[in-house]
Amino acid sequence: MTYPFDCITEFIFVETEVYPADVILVPGADHPPLMEHAAALYHQGYAPYILPSGGYQDHLNRTEWEYLKDIAIEHDVPDTAILQEDQAQNTLENGRFSFDVLEREGIAVMRAILVCKAGHARRALLSYQHEFPKETAFYVSPVVDRYGITKDNWYQSEIGVTRIMREIRKIGTYFEALIPDWLNR
């Protein structure tokens, strides 16, 4: 069955095939399935590095990077495969600061896997695309958030509708001023 809001579903819930890449990128959050999935992709040989990103959060009493790194270590990802970005306070900064880390480390990224929450996939992808060279190919491999929101059910609950509509507003807020930058690339 089709609904008038199917275009919202298609826009927000980005998911692609995953192919071998240079790095697995994880925008910060306090959601263990993000790093569990990234660790599984790492162990399957999809990329030699994982780069979780995220600064200090009061409710964690540490950085999102530290939180995610600990989960990676628990899942047998070696320290040497975990890159560090512990300053970002929003998704656009996750992309910007992650790119800076990769440049400083001398890691050229032509292909990247982006592990994010399903309902955050479009904003995360746009954020990283804005900060990385336009030639970078991104493969999006999302996980379900703690509310169980998916492309198949987001419109069936108040929390799903609220969170996805908030994503749309954030995308507008983030990118309205950046569109001219994209035209000049």
Side-chain angles (χ1 to χ4, degrees):
M1 178 173 198
T2 60
Y3 296 102
F5 51 79
D6 285 346
C7 58
I8 294 170
T9 303
E10 293 305 312
F11 178 67
I12 293 294
F13 293 89
V14 180
E15 184 170 4
T16 67
E17 290 288 324
V18 175
Y19 299 97
D22 303 301
V23 66
I24 300 166
L25 301 164
V26 184
D30 62 345
H31 189 57
L34 290 168
M35 189 51 74
E36 293 164 358
H37 184 55
L41 291 170
Y42 170 83
H43 288 301
Q44 292 168 34
Y46 279 101
Y49 302 104
I50 301 176
L51 177 47
S53 171
Y56 186 83
Q57 298 297 321
D58 288 333
H59 71 281
L60 294 174
N61 201 30
R62 59 183 167 162
T63 66
E64 290 171 326
W65 176 81
E66 291 170 302
Y67 176 84
L68 293 168
K69 176 186 176 260
D70 288 348
I71 294 168
I73 298 297
E74 289 171 11
H75 286 83
D76 300 319
V77 176
D79 274 337
T80 55
I82 305 168
L83 303 172
Q84 182 173 349
E85 191 298 292
D86 59 2
Q87 300 300 308
Q89 293 297 312
N90 60 55
T91 310
L92 202 54
E93 287 183 355
N94 290 139
R96 180 178 311 126
F97 298 164
S98 292
F99 180 73
D100 292 346
V101 166
L102 293 162
E103 275 199 317
R104 273 195 309 275
E105 294 291 330
I107 300 169
V109 177
M110 295 305 297
R111 294 172 309 280
I113 298 169
L114 182 59
V115 174
C116 56
K117 295 178 196 172
H120 182 232
R122 178 62 66 184
R123 182 161 51 105
L125 177 60
L126 287 170
S127 294
Y128 281 82
Q129 285 175 322
H130 178 71
E131 298 300 335
F132 279 66
K134 67 180 180 179
E135 299 81 20
T136 307
F138 287 94
Y139 311 124
V140 182
S141 189
V143 301
V144 177
D145 70 9
R146 66 178 40 90
Y147 303 102
I149 297 170
T150 69
K151 71 179 184 175
D152 297 320
N153 71 13
W154 71 268
Y155 50 85
Q156 296 174 349
S157 68
E158 184 176 340
I159 189 72
V161 170
T162 298
R163 292 186 69 80
I164 297 309
M165 292 299 104
R166 185 178 307 140
E167 276 300 311
I168 291 171
R169 287 190 298 276
K170 286 182 176 182
I171 289 168
T173 300
Y174 271 48
F175 300 107
E176 180 178 12
L178 299 177
I179 289 174
D181 291 347
W182 296 347
L183 295 172
N184 295 323
R185 283 182 152 192

